[in-house]
Amino acid sequence: MKKQMAEQSESQSHEDTIAKVSSDDSSASVNAFQDSDSEEEEPDEYAENHDEIAKLKAAQKASRNSGEKSQTLYIPKEHIGELPLLELHDIYKIYKMGSEEVHANDGISINIYTGEFVAIVGKSGSGKSTLMNIIGALDVPTSGKYLIHGQDTSSMSDDELATIRNKKIGFIFQQYNLLPRDNLLDNVCLPLLYAGVPKAEQKERAMRQLERVGLADKWMQKPAQLSGGQQQRVSIARALAGDPELILADEPTGALDSKTSRQVLGFLKDINKDGNTVVMITHDNSIALEAKRIVRISDGKVVYDGTAEDYAKLI
Amino acid sequence: MLNSFNLALKSIWSNKMRSFLTMLGIIIGVAAVIILVGIVNGEMSYMTSSFASMGTNRITVNVTNLSSRSVSVDQMYDFYSDNEEYFTYLSPTVSVNATVKVGNENSDQTSITGVSEDYLDIMDYDLEKGRFIQYADIAARQKVAVIGLYVAQTYYETAEKAIGQRISVNGTKYQIVGVVERQTSSSDEMSEGGSDDFLYIPYTAAVKLTRNGTINNYTFTLRDSYVEKASTVTSVIEDFLYSIFKNDDLYRVTAMSELLDSMNDMIAQMSLMLGGIAGISLLVAGVGVMNIMLVSVTERTREIGIRKALGAKKSTILMQFVIEAAVTSSMGGVIGIVIGCIGTTMAGKIMNIDAQPSFGWIIASFTISMSIGLIFGYMPARSAATLNPIDALRSD
């Protein structure tokens, strides 16, 4: 499969229509994550990144249409005029911890369009996982609106959310989350099973996706018999099986070595090229840069939203 | 629904050990109950039948005849025919303490009883050969005898050869006219002094062999409709005897069915105890099932999280787990019933009783174990199904 290894060369004009909402500064609300910096276990490149964040904020501010106070969002150039696939309007997710309120998401607004490849990047504790739960319809925001294809999820019941997840979203998890006792085919069939697809069709569609990730000949094996990279490919096949509008990948390379990481990223790029919308959550800038667009989250706020190229220049 | 059923079956199959452990509790519980009940029921019916063969329809009357106040055979027969609505048979019974002699051989173990022509029916015996003592023998004080099979086989080889032979009781020769068929159960040896070592002669003849020459014992048999109301009849007899003796120390009336009553009490107590034991074993099985169900659902929280993330509704998850629990426990129940039935039959053979699995208890133990499985499968599954998929995914 040469395709999967193929580097995606994206040449895209850099001067985007940028308009960034950055809510006036964080002093307004208590944000516990500010205090929790010291306990981060990620030994990573973010240790010093207050400077970096300041730089990003400055850059966004500069590129913002300074006269306008109205909240306009970043819209990738080629999607201007389209209806967004995902609309996040001023999302707040507030947890109560004792008497203290923790703002995991502190007024996030993003629009994501069909066919995009977006990386949501942020260190742990930044609120990106909370955001991913909301985007994935696994959770509802405390306030704000989240629309998938124009459907508002914030007031949905558990079962309605389950239907949304089943029909519209394909999940790829860091830990693959395959059912250990089922074989690969049954694992890939799972979303189709819950969608009520007839048995024969389930098998046929699942088999097609397994072929796509190059694991068709192993369909009767159990996940434990595969390597990490192969398991992640199975979970990609599972995410694709239901033909969802959005592929949501949560740290898809978090448990893989760099070689298999590249392979998995290659797959994500390929499926994006085939027209699938991909949203990837990661803490790793170098992984994030593989996407076309990057949303940087810090302390529950969007601090950068723009092209990967511009992001690469800033850091 | 069908989906959930398939999922449940697949899940049971893909985790055979856990499913088997869940079933094991139910298998043991159900089998234990069925075997236990089978054995106790078998034991009880054995006891009842052996008691019934002792004649629950009999009333024995024992009198102490004084020279001033006594009851004669004729008085007794008059009373009997006056109260025919209660009774079917009457026989005086005269125990004779004498030595039986055949040729030169003595037998002092053989019991000698003077009886009436009804006695064979009272005892509910059948004849092996010949005839029983008849009214004519009694009226004429004929020296005839009916013997038990042990006596016949020991002294005359067979019953046939015994007929017409003479047997001597305290020196008086009696002619053998009949042989009673074997009374000892077929699994036991007939023995000296056993239930086949006896000799019946007319009571009129027997009374001459006793010291005081009076008849002190009578046996009545009740009509079927009065077996349950034996105490009514005993008081009628007691009233009659009191009118003669004017002293209730001089007679004793005993109904066998009253003994049966006390035995029924005993059986009821045993049933109660049995219910307790069966209940405990089912309870223990239930606790086992509950444990495994609880652990297996907790252990599978992550699986539930994955399924929910991929779009399984709460009801679908719940259905899968409930069906799983139901299928597991009913399979356990069926296996338990099979083992229980086989075990009961085997135990019955070993203990030499007629132990049979009771249908009612099969249904009851199956229902109980099934509901235990359902309830304890449902409770943890419900809380798992309501779990937020994020939390469920995070669990390890």
Side-chain angles (χ1 to χ4, degrees):
Chain A
M1 281 218 165
K2 56 172 196 261
K3 221 172 152 196
Q4 73 197 45
M5 298 301 281
E7 276 294 301
Q8 204 158 344
S9 58
E10 287 286 322
S11 61
Q12 210 174 306
S13 51
H14 295 174
E15 333 83 287
D16 281 303
T17 28
I18 292 178
K20 175 64 193 97
V21 208
S22 96
S23 39
D24 303 276
D25 272 345
S26 46
S27 52
S29 56
V30 186
N31 195 321
F33 292 111
Q34 287 173 336
D35 310 328
S36 61
D37 279 4
S38 54
E39 63 183 56
E40 301 304 36
E41 334 141 64
E42 280 174 28
D44 61 6
E45 64 271 34
Y46 302 116
E48 75 321 335
N49 67 6
H50 285 296
D51 296 348
E52 188 192 315
I53 288 166
K55 216 159 69 184
L56 287 168
K57 277 186 181 166
Q60 295 262 300
K61 230 172 222 165
S63 57
R64 186 202 296 165
N65 193 343
S66 51
E68 258 179 68
K69 273 285 172 203
S70 69
Q71 305 204 330
T72 3
L73 292 168
Y74 168 81
I75 304 169
K77 204 177 148 200
E78 63 272 29
H79 293 295
I80 294 170
E82 290 176 18
L83 278 174
L85 173 64
L86 311 177
E87 289 175 67
L88 287 97
H89 284 300
D90 211 19
I91 298 290
Y92 282 83
K93 184 70 188 179
I94 299 165
Y95 296 106
K96 281 230 161 65
M97 287 181 142
S99 58
E100 209 176 6
E101 282 191 342
V102 177
H103 289 227
N105 284 345
D106 204 10
I108 286 178
S109 299
I110 314 171
N111 280 356
I112 292 172
Y113 296 85
T114 307
E116 278 199 285
F117 186 177
V118 182
I120 293 173
V121 66
K123 60 176 174 172
S124 78
S126 62
K128 67 175 191 308
S129 297
T130 311
L131 186 62
M132 120 102 199
N133 290 338
I134 290 168
I135 292 176
L138 290 163
D139 206 352
V140 288
T142 314
S143 77
K145 268 194 171 155
Y146 171 46
L147 288 80
I148 301 179
H149 245 171
Q151 281 180 279
D152 188 4
T153 62
S154 36
S155 56
M156 281 187 179
S157 70
D158 280 0
D159 282 358
E160 286 168 323
L161 285 175
T163 312
I164 291 283
R165 289 196 294 270
N166 183 243
K167 299 253 195 286
K168 308 227 180 248
I169 302 169
F171 286 93
I172 300 168
F173 298 99
Q174 179 176 8
Q175 295 302 331
Y176 330 125
N177 280 343
L178 301 171
L179 296 181
R181 279 186 271 276
D182 286 0
N183 65 32
L184 302 190
L185 186 66
D186 287 340
N187 263 293
V188 177
C189 278
L190 218 53
L192 299 172
L193 179 106
Y194 289 121
V197 172
K199 194 113 198 155
E201 194 189 330
Q202 277 178 31
K203 293 236 149 108
E204 193 229 308
R205 281 170 69 176
M207 217 51 202
R208 225 188 299 144
Q209 297 305 332
L210 277 175
E211 264 164 42
R212 197 166 161 187
V213 297
L215 289 168
D217 52 330
K218 294 192 173 15
W219 68 270
M220 59 193 323
Q221 296 194 9
K222 299 280 164 71
Q225 293 169 277
L226 304 181
S227 71
Q230 287 172 320
Q231 290 193 48
Q232 195 58 298
R233 274 150 65 190
V234 176
S235 84
I236 291 172
R238 184 180 64 186
L240 289 169
D243 232 343
E245 275 135 60
L246 171 70
I247 303 289
L248 185 58
D250 179 21
E251 300 276 8
T253 60
L256 303 174
D257 61 47
S258 57
K259 191 177 156 231
T260 37
S261 291
R262 251 178 284 126
Q263 204 183 10
V264 165
L265 281 171
F267 267 114
L268 290 178
K269 283 182 180 177
D270 285 348
I271 59 180
N272 175 241
K273 235 188 227 167
D274 295 345
N276 290 293
T277 314
V278 179
V279 173
M280 175 172 72
I281 318 290
T282 182
H283 69 277
D284 188 342
N285 275 330
S286 62
I287 302 283
L289 284 171
E290 301 284 326
K292 291 189 210 163
R293 174 183 166 192
I294 290 174
V295 176
R296 177 70 186 261
I297 306 284
S298 180
D299 294 338
K301 294 185 171 66
V302 175
V303 293
Y304 176 86
D305 188 355
T307 62
E309 286 84 352
D310 288 348
Y311 187 74
K313 281 182 213 155
L314 285 164
I315 53 171
Chain B
M1 179 71 197
L2 196 71
N3 251 341
S4 307
F5 202 77
N6 282 335
L7 276 175
L9 285 184
K10 203 191 265 173
S11 172
I12 291 171
W13 184 246
S14 62
N15 203 333
K16 295 175 205 70
M17 192 61 192
R18 187 186 61 211
S19 314
F20 174 71
L21 283 178
T22 316
M23 280 182 217
L24 194 65
I26 292 173
I27 292 172
I28 292 172
V30 170
V33 169
I34 292 173
I35 293 174
L36 211 69
V37 173
I39 290 174
V40 173
N41 276 348
E43 196 72 57
M44 283 187 333
S45 69
Y46 172 76
M47 277 167 67
T48 320
S49 71
S50 60
F51 215 86
S53 73
M54 288 163 65
T56 50
N57 60 344
R58 277 177 234 160
I59 291 179
T60 56
V61 175
N62 185 278
V63 296
T64 310
N65 286 317
L66 305 173
S67 49
S68 53
R69 285 177 235 145
S70 67
V71 63
S72 69
V73 175
D74 291 339
Q75 275 175 305
M76 217 57 178
Y77 268 103
D78 286 344
F79 169 76
Y80 167 71
S81 46
D82 287 346
N83 295 283
E84 261 189 335
E85 73 264 33
Y86 302 135
F87 305 115
T88 44
Y89 300 111
L90 167 64
S91 171
T93 50
V94 184
S95 286
V96 180
N97 208 350
T99 309
V100 175
K101 209 170 170 186
V102 183
N104 290 323
E105 288 175 81
N106 280 333
S107 166
D108 15 281
Q109 292 290 322
T110 308
S111 71
I112 305 159
T113 315
V115 299
S116 80
E117 73 280 5
D118 284 347
Y119 198 69
L120 193 72
D121 292 318
I122 289 173
M123 296 305 281
D124 203 19
Y125 289 170
D126 283 319
L127 285 174
E128 179 80 18
K129 274 280 169 300
R131 63 166 179 89
F132 198 66
I133 296 161
Q134 289 165 350
Y135 180 69
D137 300 326
I138 289 160
R141 293 181 193 167
Q142 286 291 330
K143 303 236 174 337
V144 293
V146 171
I147 57 173
L149 193 62
Y150 173 80
V151 182
Q153 291 188 346
T154 310
Y155 303 108
Y156 309 101
E157 288 170 26
T158 64
E160 257 165 74
K161 286 184 182 167
I163 305 289
Q165 299 292 329
R166 283 169 188 276
I167 190 164
S168 140
V169 179
N170 270 5
T172 317
K173 299 257 188 233
Y174 282 77
Q175 190 183 16
I176 297 169
V177 292
V179 178
V180 175
E181 70 172 17
R182 187 185 174 109
Q183 298 305 318
T184 315
S185 63
S186 53
S187 55
D188 294 334
E189 288 269 316
M190 287 193 291
S191 60
E192 193 175 358
S195 31
D196 284 291
D197 191 5
F198 59 81
L199 183 123
Y200 295 143
I201 52 175
Y203 68 89
T204 43
V207 83
K208 287 192 163 176
L209 296 168
T210 61
R211 240 182 302 126
N212 55 7
T214 62
I215 293 170
N216 296 333
N217 295 296
Y218 297 87
T219 304
F220 292 88
T221 52
L222 289 168
R223 288 187 190 279
D224 288 344
S225 51
Y226 281 96
V227 171
E228 298 291 315
K229 291 175 265 178
S231 55
T232 329
V233 184
T234 40
S235 55
V236 172
I237 300 171
E238 277 164 350
D239 289 348
F240 161 70
L241 291 172
Y242 189 80
S243 67
I244 296 167
F245 287 104
K246 313 285 183 209
N247 182 344
D248 54 17
D249 288 336
L250 295 176
Y251 55 87
R252 201 173 68 241
V253 183
T254 315
M256 292 298 246
S257 65
E258 280 167 8
L259 291 177
L260 191 69
D261 283 347
S262 65
M263 168 143 135
N264 280 336
D265 282 352
M266 207 170 76
I267 285 174
Q269 287 212 340
M270 268 173 89
S271 307
L272 207 69
M273 201 174 73
L274 170 83
I277 294 169
I280 288 169
S281 55
L282 269 182
L283 192 78
V284 171
V287 170
V289 172
M290 180 174 75
N291 265 326
I292 302 245
M293 288 281 183
L294 214 66
V295 168
S296 86
V297 171
T298 318
E299 172 201 278
R300 292 163 74 188
T301 309
R302 194 182 176 81
E303 178 193 329
I304 294 167
I306 295 171
R307 291 183 185 279
K308 288 197 83 175
L310 296 181
K313 294 194 172 80
K314 189 180 151 183
S315 54
T316 322
I317 298 276
L318 196 58
M319 188 73 89
Q320 180 195 336
F321 277 81
V322 167
I323 291 177
E324 232 181 281
V327 171
T328 318
S329 37
S330 56
M331 267 167 75
V334 169
I335 298 174
I337 288 172
V338 171
I339 292 178
C341 291
I342 295 171
T344 310
T345 320
M346 268 167 50
K349 283 223 174 91
I350 292 166
M351 297 170 71
N352 203 13
I353 53 171
D354 180 31
Q356 269 173 0
S358 123
F359 185 71
W361 277 94
I362 287 177
I363 298 291
S365 61
F366 183 77
T367 316
I368 292 171
S369 61
M370 178 102 174
S371 9
I372 287 171
L374 271 181
I375 291 168
F376 294 126
Y378 175 80
M379 290 197 308
R382 196 191 50 187
S383 55
T386 10
L387 209 64
N388 185 336
I390 305 164
D391 298 331
L393 276 174
R394 211 174 283 147
S395 88
D396 269 312

